[in-house]
Amino acid sequence: MSEPLLSVQGLRKHFVQRKGFPRPRTVIVRAVEDVSFTIAPGEAFGLVGESGCGKSTAARALLRLIEPDAGQVTYRGQDVRSTRGSALKALRRKMQIVFQDPYSSLDPRQTIGSALMEPMRVHGIATGRDARDRAAALLEEVGLPPGALDRLPHEFSGGQRQRIGIARALTLEPELIVADEPVSALDVSVQAQVLLLLKQLRERRGLSFLFVSHDLSVVRWFCDRVAVMYLGRIVEEGPSGRVLADPLHPYAKMLREASPVPDPAQRGVLPRIVGEIPSAANPPPGCPFHPRCAQAMPVCSTTAPRWTSATGGGGVACHLHG
Amino acid sequence: MSATAEAPVAPRVPGWRKALGKARSNPTTLVGAVICLVILAAAILAPWIAPHDPAEQDIISRLAPPGGDYPLGTDQFGRDILSRLLWGARISLTVSLGAIAVACVIGGSIGMVSGYIGGRFDLFVMQVMDVLLSFPSLILGLIVVALLGPDLVNLVVAIALTAIAPFARIARAPTLALKERAFVEAGHALGYSHLRIIFRHILPNILPEVMVMASLWMATAVRVEASLSFIGLGVKPPTPTWGGMTRDGFENILDSPWLAVFPGMAILLLVLGLNMVGDGLRDATDPKLRNE
């Protein structure tokens, strides 16, 4: 494997809240506890897990949209966390984000053209006529007519807005796109179109992706490798074919069984989901998954499992495989 | 291989035009707007439409009742009331417009920056604003004018000072909500500076709320200016001011009531007109009422 495009080591983000009066209690929400992965150039890496497992927080922390508390993020050998000022601005050109909610991701009072030209102006890529031509070309690339340039976001549907959001992410010609649940807020019929667009862009522009999603079928179709997150940690990682078809970790198995299978014969088999995801403010000791795990052993509640390499690529953090 | 748009682009109807249509369909707003425009026109055209020089003293026809050569009568120095009212509208509007413009810019910026930064800084700034807010606007204006001396600029400063806090509050509240929206985060991801995000992306979104506030506070500013003039802390005589004219007229209220009544009615009319416009604008821009 060549030098990774992005490397994340031991990323951590805790949110500290002080609640209560007159004696406030400090609550630490361990949104991201320990996350490590690498993304190779041109690779699509999926991050899956339930709501609240910290996958979006991890994505935002590595982009420094929220400041991580610990860990190391390296982009092409450059330390992301220590970058400041104009170097950070230059780094932002290389990594862009596509948001989940297409309704809040665009400034409601800014025309589409202005939203696409502003980043080019700020980074000195293009101005005036040139910028407008580039913006029109980007719109065409994401499947919108050039007439959309002078319109405002509220004139567009959710799917169209998501295309605009993708076009905006492309204005700076990034190498890596962090897609934070890019299709979860869209209708199923529109999801497929937007996913297809992302895949086309990936192939045409040679983009790398960090694809955050809770939809296993989407991740299987889009990603080369996938990591399964649970309570702020990665519990299993590997090639998406292997992890999603033959998961090793009991949690990954549970996720796979909960994912609908397009086979009428399978109807009626209820997924064995036990319990809710515990609060990240009060994670269980040992393996974070042990209270819900069907195969839990005594050791699971006392000792956190070590990371073990798996046959077929990747690895898993589970005492069953340790 | 079709990745084209899933629906034709909807025809565009700008939000402000919708709001304007709403305001137009409301007769109260319309009447208020007409009142304000008439007074504004009177103030601008005063040098040309005033029948007399506002300072010209006709000693022979002192305290003349309305009618004849003097449509609204004359005061104790024989000056034409109508001409003085027209010229007085200039002072009222200059002071209140100036004060509100200053308060809008300063207060609005404080509110946006404070809300955007958040945390302890926001807490501190808003406490200071609360202290400012706890002074009745007339008292605060009185202190400032008494300290600085009564002239046009000081009057603007005094009234602006009383209006900064409410503008800071009205700008801060929507900023708090907007800064959590993904487009602000997108701005950070695109490498925009904080100033660019505040003034290019948050400001246009809070402008409607601030404008409504401005039209409502204009009425207060007119009232405070008139009150300060009434107690002799306004623009100095012989410059005609509505408040000053009301006070002068008070001395002869029993035998020549028109001296105090006409300027008083001018104040009432302008404040009423501004309030009607402000209420109409508020209803038109309130998203809860817009869809009814």
Side-chain angles (χ1 to χ4, degrees):
Chain A
M1 204 164 102
S2 59
E3 196 208 356
L5 184 70
L6 181 81
S7 151
V8 177
Q9 286 300 321
L11 190 71
R12 185 199 297 163
K13 178 68 198 179
H14 291 177
F15 294 102
V16 181
Q17 293 175 325
R18 288 174 67 80
K19 282 187 198 164
F21 184 84
R23 270 174 297 166
R25 276 186 311 124
T26 305
V27 180
I28 299 172
V29 179
R30 298 163 191 273
V32 178
E33 188 62 48
D34 179 8
V35 167
S36 307
F37 59 86
T38 58
I39 301 178
E43 188 181 39
F45 186 80
L47 203 54
V48 298
E50 281 169 289
S51 320
C53 72
K55 52 195 194 298
S56 289
T57 308
R60 281 174 165 72
L62 71 88
L63 285 173
R64 299 245 331 253
L65 293 176
I66 46 181
E67 287 297 332
D69 295 326
Q72 196 172 22
V73 183
T74 319
Y75 184 85
R76 284 200 186 276
Q78 187 183 358
D79 182 17
V80 173
R81 283 192 62 204
S82 63
T83 308
R84 300 266 177 281
S86 57
L88 179 63
K89 194 172 155 186
L91 192 64
R92 295 233 186 261
R93 271 186 73 165
K94 300 293 173 199
M95 302 194 281
Q96 280 301 311
I97 181 166
V98 173
F99 293 94
Q100 173 175 13
D101 179 7
Y103 290 90
S104 81
S105 64
L106 299 171
D107 180 349
R109 299 208 178 238
Q110 187 178 34
T111 62
I112 306 311
S114 166
L116 295 181
M117 290 187 278
E118 191 176 1
M120 301 181 199
R121 244 190 353 262
V122 167
H123 286 266
I125 297 173
T127 52
R129 188 73 240 167
D130 185 20
R132 203 178 158 81
D133 291 343
R134 279 167 180 258
L138 279 170
L139 281 184
E140 200 190 332
E141 196 172 351
V142 299
L144 288 170
L149 279 178
D150 298 315
R151 292 165 177 272
L152 289 169
H154 72 88
E155 301 171 52
F156 296 90
S157 68
Q160 289 170 330
R161 288 185 201 208
Q162 198 59 302
R163 287 167 191 274
I164 295 163
I166 293 166
R168 181 179 59 188
L170 294 175
T171 53
L172 300 179
E173 292 163 348
E175 295 172 314
L176 172 73
I177 292 208
V178 174
D180 181 14
E181 306 246 16
V183 296
S184 309
L186 306 177
D187 283 350
V188 178
S189 59
V190 180
Q191 281 191 1
Q193 296 174 353
V194 171
L195 280 171
L196 197 58
L197 169 68
L198 286 174
K199 196 156 195 173
Q200 286 173 2
L201 288 171
R202 189 190 154 199
E203 283 157 10
R204 196 183 311 144
R205 290 179 168 245
L207 294 168
S208 308
F209 271 88
L210 173 62
F211 197 95
V212 177
S213 181
H214 62 260
D215 189 334
L216 297 194
S217 51
V218 165
V219 169
R220 188 179 308 144
W221 183 77
F222 195 84
C223 297
D224 307 315
R225 281 194 307 134
V226 60
V228 181
M229 258 185 94
Y230 187 78
L231 269 187
R233 295 167 196 271
I234 289 180
V235 293
E236 182 166 1
E237 186 251 283
S240 51
R242 201 276 294 157
V243 173
L244 298 174
D246 182 23
L248 295 172
H249 196 280
Y251 176 65
K253 280 183 190 156
M254 196 181 96
L255 274 187
R256 199 185 78 108
E257 281 163 25
S259 174
V261 181
D263 178 3
Q266 296 256 343
R267 195 182 304 178
V269 182
L270 286 172
R272 295 196 319 262
I273 287 214
V274 192
E276 281 285 314
I277 190 165
S279 163
N282 187 18
C287 171
F289 186 59
H290 83 263
R292 297 168 78 187
C293 186
Q295 293 157 279
M297 301 176 289
V299 65
C300 297
S301 56
T302 53
T303 318
R306 280 183 303 111
W307 187 255
T308 334
S309 298
T311 46
V316 62
C318 182
H319 287 299
L320 288 173
H321 305 278
Chain B
M1 279 297 273
S2 115
T4 47
E6 60 278 355
V9 173
R12 66 178 307 185
V13 181
W16 63 266
R17 196 178 291 169
K18 250 187 258 171
L20 205 69
K22 180 94 183 172
R24 223 185 272 137
S25 67
N26 181 350
T28 319
T29 319
L30 203 63
V31 172
V34 168
I35 293 174
C36 293
L37 286 177
V38 166
I39 294 175
L40 183 68
I44 293 169
L45 300 174
W48 296 280
I49 60 170
H52 298 272
D53 186 318
E56 182 193 297
Q57 302 185 358
D58 185 350
I59 304 298
I60 299 154
S61 33
R62 282 173 54 208
L63 296 171
D69 203 15
Y70 302 101
L72 298 180
T74 61
D75 64 7
Q76 65 270 43
F77 299 111
R79 296 177 298 194
D80 180 35
I81 297 284
L82 178 62
S83 305
R84 289 178 66 74
L85 276 184
L86 293 174
W87 281 87
R90 297 193 137 198
I91 299 291
S92 273
L93 288 177
T94 313
V95 170
S96 48
L97 273 175
I100 293 307
V102 170
C104 208
V105 171
I106 297 180
S109 302
I110 291 176
M112 275 193 299
V113 172
S114 175
Y116 183 81
I117 293 174
R120 284 192 187 167
F121 177 78
D122 181 39
L123 206 66
F124 173 74
V125 170
M126 282 302 127
Q127 299 279 316
V128 173
M129 290 298 131
D130 281 346
V131 171
L132 265 182
L133 212 58
S134 66
F135 285 99
S137 49
L138 187 59
I139 304 290
L140 195 57
L142 211 130
I143 295 169
V144 173
V145 174
L147 284 177
L148 300 178
D151 72 20
L152 194 79
V153 175
N154 290 346
L155 218 54
V156 169
V157 170
I159 297 173
L161 201 62
T162 68
I164 282 176
F167 278 99
R169 295 195 125 191
I170 205 80
R172 173 179 171 266
T175 304
L176 287 179
L178 282 167
K179 75 168 178 177
E180 302 299 334
R181 300 273 298 265
F183 72 83
V184 170
E185 209 174 10
H188 292 305
L190 290 163
Y192 295 172
S193 65
H194 293 299
L195 281 179
R196 173 178 285 273
I197 289 173
I198 291 176
F199 289 101
R200 293 291 299 272
H201 296 281
I202 290 180
L203 178 62
N205 285 293
I206 68 166
L207 215 52
E209 277 105 326
V210 175
M211 285 296 121
V212 170
M213 192 71 178
S215 62
L216 288 172
W217 266 84
M218 268 291 288
T220 310
V222 168
R223 231 181 45 225
V224 172
E225 188 275 331
S227 311
L228 288 173
S229 300
F230 185 83
I231 56 176
L233 288 172
V235 178
K236 284 197 207 85
T239 313
T241 61
W242 291 354
M245 288 167 73
T246 313
R247 197 257 326 262
D248 292 346
F250 236 70
E251 293 159 17
N252 299 299
I253 191 87
L254 291 178
D255 37 304
S256 314
W258 59 88
L259 293 187
V261 166
F262 287 125
M265 276 178 50
I267 296 166
L268 180 106
L269 212 58
L270 181 54
V271 171
L272 186 70
L274 288 169
N275 271 328
M276 285 160 96
V277 171
D279 283 347
L281 278 180
R282 189 190 54 205
D283 292 351
T285 53
D286 189 341
K288 272 181 239 143
L289 298 169
R290 195 187 281 173
N291 295 328
E292 273 175 15

